[in-house]
């Protein structure tokens, strides 16, 4: 089924965006092809559990939400001297061949309606290029959204035997427009032979926002991609984080945390594709829902026929703090090679009444006891976060959310 929900986009708008960035003809053509594809492709798949589709993207009013030419943001892009951290327009001018090789090579611009929409309309982005043998930390990207819609693109390319740690944040700025907003973010990571990428994303957009993000990486031989995904904001988040383990002896870890309250909705999709020998994956997610918030999680471990000696593990746990909140999880194993060690688990439940009773019987107030148990619930995920700044930021946001609940 095709989706035709956006009649007010024009070729002239796309040409203006591309022209403002001084893009070459091949990039403009990629954008125009994505625009044309909107008439014939559907929304991304949503997670389905028995008898229920949890997320209805067709209900979003894109004609109201998307204002492609009036985008506004405040963006900081910082990195060490031996790594190139470039705004999109500078990357176009300085690294056209690099972009031509990698742009759209991991996330197909026409994979679904929302990737095509992002490709046609993105007006801001960052390219991070790490040369061979360089070890880099403290690459930071801060994006404050101040417009009705914002389409963002991030490309990371690491050469042989290099490493980089990246922390990207999305929030709503103080100059933001009133009313509902839409944020879209595409991230592609190409990890060269024996290189290592740690990429953290912390989303704390205002709760009148909708967010779509697709973050995907491909590993070469002996390469590692570790993702850290924190989702706190928006009224609806649709997120995919995934790694294609294409090189022998490559590895990935995907660590996720979310905390929903009020009427927030999280649709979280985590995948790993084992395509080579001796590959390893570890997927760990923990989340909390309160009030009438909802979450649904799907984790897929796909082991290919040639993926000999695979190790793949997945754990997802959701804690519901109210009787009105909802959560579900759908972990999946797809195994086509018998030389595999793999497991998956998922739990959904409420705070243990015995733990709560134990703490209150020793003089701890019920509210403080609950908050302490929630903070403790996140500890196994936080312990997996190797980036100190990300872990501290996420802890602060969790504590802030708990303080907000005390005042309700």
């Amino acid at each position: 089924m095709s989706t035709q929900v956006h009649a007010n986009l024009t070729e002239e708008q796309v040409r203006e965006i591309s022209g403002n960035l001084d893009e070459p003809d091949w990039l403009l053509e990629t954008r125009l092809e994505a625009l044309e594809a909107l008439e014939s492709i559907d929304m991304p798949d949503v997670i389905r559990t028995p008898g229920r589709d949890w997320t209805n993207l067709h209900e979003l009013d894109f004609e109201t939400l998307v204002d492609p030419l009036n985008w506004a943001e405040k963006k900081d892009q910082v990195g060490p001297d031996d790594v190139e951290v470039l705004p999109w327009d500078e990357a176009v001018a300085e690294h056209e061949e690099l972009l031509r090789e990698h742009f759209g090579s991991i996330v197909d611009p026409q994979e679904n309606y929302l990737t095509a929409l992002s490709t046609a309309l993105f007006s801001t982005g960052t390219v991070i290029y790490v040369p061979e043998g360089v070890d880099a930390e403290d690459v930071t990207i801060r994006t404050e959204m101040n417009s009705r819609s914002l389409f963002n693109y991030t490309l990371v390319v690491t050469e042989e035997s290099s490493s980089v740690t990246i922390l990207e944040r999305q929030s709503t700025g103080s100059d933001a427009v009133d009313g509902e907003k839409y944020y879209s973010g595409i991230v592609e990571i190409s990890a060269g032979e024996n290189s290592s990428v740690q990429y953290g994303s912390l989303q704390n957009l205002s709760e009148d926002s909708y967010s779509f993000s697709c973050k995907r990486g491909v590993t070469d031989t002996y390469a590692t991609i570790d993702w850290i995904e924190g989702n706190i904001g928006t009224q609806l988040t649709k997120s995919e984080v995934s790694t294609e383990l294409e090189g022998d002896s490559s590895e990935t870890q995907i660590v996720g945390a979310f905390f929903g309250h009020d009427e927030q909705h999280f649709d979280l999709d985590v995948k790993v594709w084992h395509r080579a020998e001796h590959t390893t994956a570890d997927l760990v997610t923990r989340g909390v829902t309160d009030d009438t918030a909802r979450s649904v999680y799907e984790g897929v471990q796909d082991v290919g026929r040639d993926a000999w000696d695979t190790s793949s593990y997945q754990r997802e746990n959701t804690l519901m703090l109210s009787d009105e909140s909802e959560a579900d999880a759908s972990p999946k194993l797809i195994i086509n090679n018998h030389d595999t060690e793999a497991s998956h688990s998922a739990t959904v439940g409420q705070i243990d009444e015995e733990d709560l009773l134990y703490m209150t019987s020793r003089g701890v107030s019920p509210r403080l006891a609950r908050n302490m148990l929630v903070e403790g619930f996140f500890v196994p995920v936080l312990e997996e976060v190797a980036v100190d700044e990300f872990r501290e930021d996420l802890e602060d946001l969790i504590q802030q959310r708990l303080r907000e609940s005390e005042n309700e």
Side-chain angles (χ1 to χ4, degrees), residues 117-164:
L117 189 68
S118 296
T119 301
L121 301 181
F122 81 91
S123 49
T124 180
T126 308
V127 174
I128 301 167
Y129 173 67
V130 189
E132 181 176 349
V134 170
D135 295 324
E137 297 183 356
D138 300 325
V139 174
T140 302
I141 308 166
R142 294 181 176 88
T143 301
E144 291 187 2
M145 176 179 172
N146 289 313
S147 50
R148 180 75 57 209
S149 60
L150 189 66
F151 294 85
N152 190 52
Y153 174 78
T154 303
L155 172 66
V156 181
V157 179
T158 57
E159 300 291 358
E160 182 177 350
S161 300
S162 64
S163 67
V164 65

Side-chain angles (χ1 to χ4, degrees), residues 70 310 340:
N70 295 312
T310 290
T340 297

